């Protein structure tokens, strides 16, 4: 293998790792947040839409 082929293989593997990491973070973030967890945001000063 020539130097250019080795460089292309290394860049391809790095791109696969990068895309795999992005996909992993995308699915991992969806699992960590529940439907009503509020994610650390304080909503106490907003009016409750259920109370009329």
């Amino acid at each position: 293998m020539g130097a250019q082929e080795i460089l292309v293989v290394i860049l391809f593997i790095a791109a696969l790792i990068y895309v795999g990491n992005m996909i992993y973070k995308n699915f991992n973030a969806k699992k960590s947040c529940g439907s009503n967890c509020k994610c650390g945001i304080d909503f106490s000063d907003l009016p409750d839409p259920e109370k009329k």
Side-chain angles (χ1 to χ4, degrees):
M1 284 179 96
Q4 289 179 337
E5 292 174 347
I6 294 172
L7 182 62
V8 168
V9 169
I10 291 171
L11 288 174
F12 183 75
I13 292 171
L16 285 177
I17 292 170
Y18 177 74
V19 171
N21 190 23
M22 287 178 54
I23 292 170
Y24 173 76
K25 285 182 180 179
N26 188 21
F27 286 116
N28 195 21
K30 288 182 182 177
K31 287 183 197 174
S32 66
C33 188
S35 62
N36 195 18
C37 73
K38 299 181 185 175
C39 298
I41 299 172
D42 184 19
F43 290 112
S44 62
D45 56 338
L46 295 176
D48 191 2
E50 295 177 2
K51 293 181 181 178
K52 292 184 180 182

